[in-house]
């Protein structure tokens, strides 16, 4: 048996008091999650933080109502039962996993929380044979469904169209600075800088395995170098570019990917077949970089294409000439 699972109760085995106790602890947990969202968003997205503050207050009000109902029906002592004590019960995402979620994803996460809670109460009400308990659970389901209406009302109150647009622009800018810009720089470096050593080795040796090893070493080495350089260049505190770890990861991974793109074809044993495929991959890589620059960095497409393709072509030609000589 897996440790920990044997202590879990099945939902169908819970008493009416335990179901109510589970509802109380769930409401308390959700209020804490909303307050955590609010605190983490307050500096950059103050209007959305106010929405989550209001939703946390709604959860507090429902928790107090549930405690009053429990006291009236079962007394002062509330059994200790939480989500993790019930087999198959819906779980909440740990709050530390939300640090990397975008603003829209956090909003969607909150909506999912409300839907999960509503489904729980509806299921509990459906299996209850006691009229008073069925009414209680039905009321709780309605309350959870009403939370979404309350959230919409709070959004209208605190998050006007202009405020939401401003927060969305801030979120988009942060996404660009933290992920797209370092990743694009890495992809460009990996795709272009490794062209010369890979194709010089290819034409000098005409040995596909040796060429692949050189390409692999150049790609991984460049990825490590770019990743550490990006992470060490700016801690993100003043520039607003976000976590250095995230930026370093984006830059390092994309640098390695850019180099491996035209190194992997040399796993093909035939030299000219491998070289032809590698050249086609380079062509696709360079145009993809130009598209990303146009799509996310708003660089005019033809200017981006001219810069990337011309630079790549020069490095490629240098590698071929050196290898052929």
């Amino acid at each position: 048996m897996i440790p920990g699972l044997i202590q879990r109760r099945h939902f169908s085995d819970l008493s009416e008091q335990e179901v109510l106790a589970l509802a109380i602890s769930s409401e308390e947990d959700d209020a804490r999650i909303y307050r955590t969202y609010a605190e983490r968003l307050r500096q950059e997205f103050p209007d959305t933080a106010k929405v989550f503050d209001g939703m946390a207050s709604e959860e507090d009000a429902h928790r107090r109502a549930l405690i009053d109902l429990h006291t009236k029906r079962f007394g002062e002592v509330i059994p200790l039962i939480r989500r993790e004590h019930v087999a198959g019960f819906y779980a909440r995402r740990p709050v530390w996993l939300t640090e990397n979620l975008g603003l829209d994803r956090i909003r969607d996460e909150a909506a999912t929380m409300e839907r999960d809670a509503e489904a729980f109460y509806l299921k509990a009400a459906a299996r209850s044979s006691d009229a008073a308990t069925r009414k209680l659970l039905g009321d709780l389901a309605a309350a959870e469904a009403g939370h979404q209406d309350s959230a919409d009302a709070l959004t209208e109150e605190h998050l006007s169209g202009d405020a939401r647009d401003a927060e969305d622009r801030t979120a988009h800018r942060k996404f660009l600075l933290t992920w797209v810009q370092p990743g694009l720089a890495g992809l460009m470096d990996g795709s272009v800088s490794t062209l010369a050593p890979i194709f010089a080795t290819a034409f000098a040796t005409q040995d596909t395995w040796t060429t692949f090893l050189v390409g692999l070493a150049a790609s991984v080495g460049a990825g490590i170098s770019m990743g550490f350089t990006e992470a060490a260049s700016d801690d993100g505190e003043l520039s607003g570019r976000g976590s250095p770890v995230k930026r370093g990861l984006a830059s390092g991974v994309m640098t390695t990917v850019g180099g491996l793109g035209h190194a992997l074809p040399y796993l093909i044993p035939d030299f000219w077949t491998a070289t032809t495929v590698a050249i086609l991959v380079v062509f696709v890589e360079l145009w993809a970089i130009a598209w990303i620059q146009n799509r996310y960095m708003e660089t005019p497409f033809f200017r981006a294409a001219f810069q990337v393709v011309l630079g790549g072509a020069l490095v490629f030609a240098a590698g071929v000439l050196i290898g052929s000589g």
Side-chain angles (χ1 to χ4, degrees):
M1 292 186 180
I2 300 176
L5 291 184
I6 56 174
Q7 289 85 15
R8 291 190 177 187
R9 301 274 300 281
H10 290 284
F11 181 71
S12 59
D13 296 330
L14 299 181
S15 67
E16 295 172 8
Q17 182 184 16
E18 289 170 331
V19 169
L20 188 54
L22 178 60
I24 292 170
S25 66
S26 298
E27 294 284 356
E28 183 178 8
D29 288 345
D30 287 353
R32 289 177 176 176
I33 291 172
Y34 289 145
R35 285 197 171 87
T36 301
Y37 287 168
E39 194 59 31
R40 290 183 176 174
L41 294 171
R42 200 173 307 283
Q43 183 175 356
E44 292 183 293
F45 309 106
D47 293 294
T48 294
K50 291 178 182 177
V51 173
F52 283 117
D53 284 334
M55 293 175 70
S57 296
E58 290 280 338
E59 299 294 324
D60 286 339
H62 288 114
R63 176 178 55 83
R64 287 192 295 269
L66 286 165
I67 291 175
D68 290 341
L69 287 169
H70 182 279
T71 301
K72 181 179 179 180
R73 293 197 59 194
F74 304 108
E76 297 284 345
V77 180
I78 301 174
L80 177 59
I81 180 167
R82 309 181 71 87
R83 294 185 179 102
E84 59 268 24
H85 300 158
V86 181
F89 196 65
Y90 67 87
R92 295 298 191 219
R93 186 195 299 267
V95 291
W96 57 83
L97 294 182
T98 65
E99 292 181 352
N100 295 326
L101 294 181
L103 186 60
D104 287 336
R105 286 291 305 279
I106 291 178
R107 290 169 179 160
D108 291 342
E109 188 80 9
T112 299
M113 288 170 60
E114 301 297 343
R115 287 193 295 269
D116 286 344
E118 180 188 2
F120 155 60
Y121 288 127
L122 289 173
K123 181 180 178 181
R127 79 171 182 86
S128 175
S129 59
D130 178 76
T133 302
R134 183 183 292 271
K135 181 181 183 303
L136 168 63
L137 295 174
D139 290 344
L140 293 174
E144 289 296 336
H147 282 188
Q148 187 59 49
D149 295 333
S150 298
D152 292 340
L154 289 167
T155 299
E156 290 295 325
E157 177 183 352
H158 297 295
L159 203 59
S160 65
D162 291 341
R164 180 157 186 156
D165 289 343
E167 290 195 350
D168 288 343
R169 287 194 297 271
T170 300
H172 180 67
R173 178 177 179 275
K174 187 173 183 180
F175 171 73
L176 291 179
L177 293 177
T178 303
W179 294 107
V180 177
Q181 190 180 69
L184 180 60
L187 184 61
M188 292 176 64
D189 184 84
S191 297
V192 175
S193 67
T194 58
L195 287 175
I198 289 176
F199 285 100
T201 303
F203 281 89
T205 66
Q206 295 198 4
D207 184 318
T208 58
W209 180 246
T210 299
T211 302
F212 169 72
L213 292 179
V214 170
L216 178 63
S219 301
V220 173
I224 294 172
S225 175
M226 282 289 288
F228 275 100
T229 300
E230 176 62 40
S233 65
D234 178 11
D235 62 9
E237 291 295 328
L238 296 178
S239 66
R241 297 181 64 216
S243 165
V245 175
K246 295 177 184 177
R247 298 194 332 267
L249 182 64
S251 181
V253 169
M254 293 309 294
T255 300
T256 302
V257 169
L260 286 178
H262 41 268
L264 288 175
Y266 283 98
L267 289 173
I268 300 172
D270 182 74
F271 171 75
W272 287 109
T273 301
T275 300
T276 301
V277 174
I279 292 173
L280 291 175
V281 170
V282 170
F283 180 81
V284 172
E285 286 176 344
L286 297 180
W287 283 101
I289 292 171
W291 181 85
I292 293 171
Q293 282 188 312
N294 174 255
R295 172 66 176 80
Y296 290 103
M297 309 307 294
E298 299 182 358
T299 305
F301 181 77
F302 288 105
R303 189 174 79 184
F306 177 77
Q307 293 172 342
V308 175
V309 175
L310 177 61
L314 291 174
V315 176
F316 170 79
V320 173
L321 288 174
I322 292 171
S324 299

